[in-house]
Amino acid sequence: MNLTNSESKNADLSAEALGNEIKSAPNPVPRANDADTLAEEILEKLTYSVGKDPIVARRHDWLTATTLAVRDRIIDHWFATSQRGYKESLKRVYYLSLEFLIGRLLRDAISNLGLDKTLPVALSRYNINLDLIELLEPDAALGNGGLGRLAACFMESMASTGVPSYGYGIRYRHGLFRQEIADGSQVELPENWLAHGNPWEFERQEASYEIGFGGKVISIQEEGKGPRQVWRPAERLLAVAYDVPIVGWRAASVNTLRLWSAQALDPILLDAFNSGDHIGALREANKAEAITQVLYPADSHLAGQELRLRQEYFFSSASLQDILRRHLSQYPSLDNLSDKVSIQLNDTHPAVSVAELMRLLVDVHGMDWDKAWKITQETFSYTNHTLLPEALETWPVHIFERLLPRQMQIIYAINAAVISEAQGKGFDGGKIASLSLIDEGHGRRVRMGQLAFVGSHAINGVSALHTELMKETVFRALHELYPDRIQNKTNGVTPRRWLFQSNRGLTKLLEETIGPEFKDNIDKLKDFDRFATDPETRKRFAAVKLDNKKRLAKLISERMALNVNPEAIFDIQVKRIHEYKRQLLNVLEAVALYEQIRSHPEQNWTPRVKIFAGKAAPSYFKAKLIIHLINDVARVIDSDPAVRDLLKVVFIPNYNVSLAETIMPAADISEQISTAGLEASGTGNMKFALNGALTIGTLDGANVEMLEHLGDENIFIFGLNADDVARRRNDGHSGRGIIETTPLLKSAIDSIASGVFSPDEPQRYRDLITDLYDRDWWMICADFDAYWQTQRQLDALWLDKDAWYEKAIRNTARMGWFSSDRSIREYAHDIWNVKTLS
Ligand SMILES: *Cc1c(COP(=O)(O)O)cnc(C)c1O
């Protein structure tokens, strides 16, 4: 059996193809949303689907029953969405992403279906508290950080704005590791989110595709035609689909997140089995299934292992086969593919799709090369997420060639055409070398960014600054060759999850001041601006914030047996731990502040709780060292009675989406202090400000646009800008001179270096200290003084609560533009050419 056969077999079996033939849609009677009906349905699920008598049912059983009852309602809308797509021949958007950091889904579904008032009442009939059982849902961490969370916000926004779309990714058996802190250090534990099954997913054994690796390419000469290339893979396995419905706001539409799981074609080798080698018989299965076992835990860093490239190709090929199958179930040929299909590549992880689509069109479907290339470019678009050299994806040609021999040939052919076009325009050797799909300088590597670029009609950055830097750095030569391809699409976050659900107090206050229209039109948040000077609203806003801080304080006390004072400033930095994000700058300020409080106890210090959370890639030594330092500093400060109640440092373990939902509404200060030019956008910055935290940050990523929307009196910008950083790095900047002339900084560094915070191992932080003196690559010393001064400005502002809450209210009021609905509308209009419902 070859790949072509399996596709046509699957086409016949596909649910959608069958659905398409049934012209009279099963038009479900809309279900009543009252508490009685819901209570009955939940009881029925508990009894007949979970198989439990309510008398013995545990809380987890109630969660499952509730999820299933809610799911039924989603399914009604799901079919309606899918049928509308077929009936109206709508163009579909496919969002290909190796990560979807979706978190919990129950509250999202309840809220978007409008059941948030009645469902808790229904459950209370059985003495069940929704707020408690929803915590039992595992937090699906199929992503690392911002990139994966963006994909999740985009899925929700595409459903809310009515963009017919599918997300495609991998159903990792183990998502991102669970983080514990032991003796101050990060410990990684496996995350088994599927242990109790996943009531949100539907396995689609009928939607499965063969995926090949290795082998050889043979050239077949056909009568009257040119040679045709046929790939004969040595290894073959199956990609099996699991569908998760994603419901939009007010159930505007329900889209599908289709996640692929790897399965052996021949799970048990019968020969081996029959000869008594039962373990050996499973070898094939184990090797195949390894592909979807784990998510690579490195964020903004190239993992580089062959298994990662296998994951990338596996999910790209399965998704493309599925897309072509669906298209051909509806249209007679692939000629109109780009009229009906847009494929967005979320970073370069799915970039091999460019070569794979060419292979499917040319080798499998017999299309001619030039036509296939035009369709490919019109179909794909690519989002770049980072300019960090260590994160730009490249693969050694020899690995690529061995694993994907035909795709490698195709990449060479594409490259030859691009280079000849550039030569035609008189590009010199240096420019050609930099736009080539092959990096000849480092042992020959395939550059996935260049591949994604040339195969796409639109390439976007994720904030205005990042997009400009893209044009000047990695894609400088390609931008010169194709000057109309790069555009900006500033990131956003969904206000449903990050305001309505996570901050019910503020949502209620908004409803009672500006009225409920903002829930359907987030631009209406602007109306809240005129309440910024209203004393009553300020008081209520402050009360909501205090309430949220108490909730976070309770979580900290329960998880860490540590008491923090909710009346103190909550100064929060939560995100992946990375040198460029500069948690080290923050902790240095904490140490300096600690020393100042100790040496000047008579001064009127503003009480502060500095809260950190975030995971480090397991192999990222310095990031893990920074976690250790934060925990060491936290312990020493906590045990020092001299600063009690004035300063606390807290590291909350296991940052994930659920924890973020509790943290964002509780922040007074949001730390967005990356080295300028290095954070592509940030989305944590948006969640915080939407919830009324004041940002202390650099002119980096979307902070730049936040400054424009908020006004410079409502955001606290400090430090070097991107040009300054580039210039200093060019001039061979180091920290030594700055340290010697900045006593606060010097003293903080000296304390750390002399083991004040690590008496058991005084040299523990030597590597971090040496970096600061010799290189200061991340401009921590360079920005320290400006950061310190700005923090003290915030201290002073805190004493004037009226002024503080005026700014906080203006932050919430002016953040509507940063909704991911706005991002999606821009993609839909400028890149995908699809209409939105709203
Ligand atoms: C929003 C979010 C991120 C991204 O945070 P940044 O500060 O933009 O890096 C990462 N992880 C989780 C769990 C998030 O919710």
Side-chain angles (χ1 to χ4, degrees), residues 101 145-146 149 498 574-575 581 655-657 660 672 682-684 687:
L101 191 51
R149 185 54 231 175
W498 297 111
V574 291
K575 46 181 78 243
K581 291 177 181 278
Y655 185 52
N656 60 13
V657 173
Q672 307 301 335
T683 48
K687 301 167 196 164

Side-chain angles (χ1 to χ4, degrees), residues 64-77:
T64 307
T66 306
T67 303
L68 294 175
V70 170
R71 195 182 76 170
D72 280 1
R73 285 151 193 275
I74 296 178
I75 290 173
D76 296 343
H77 297 286

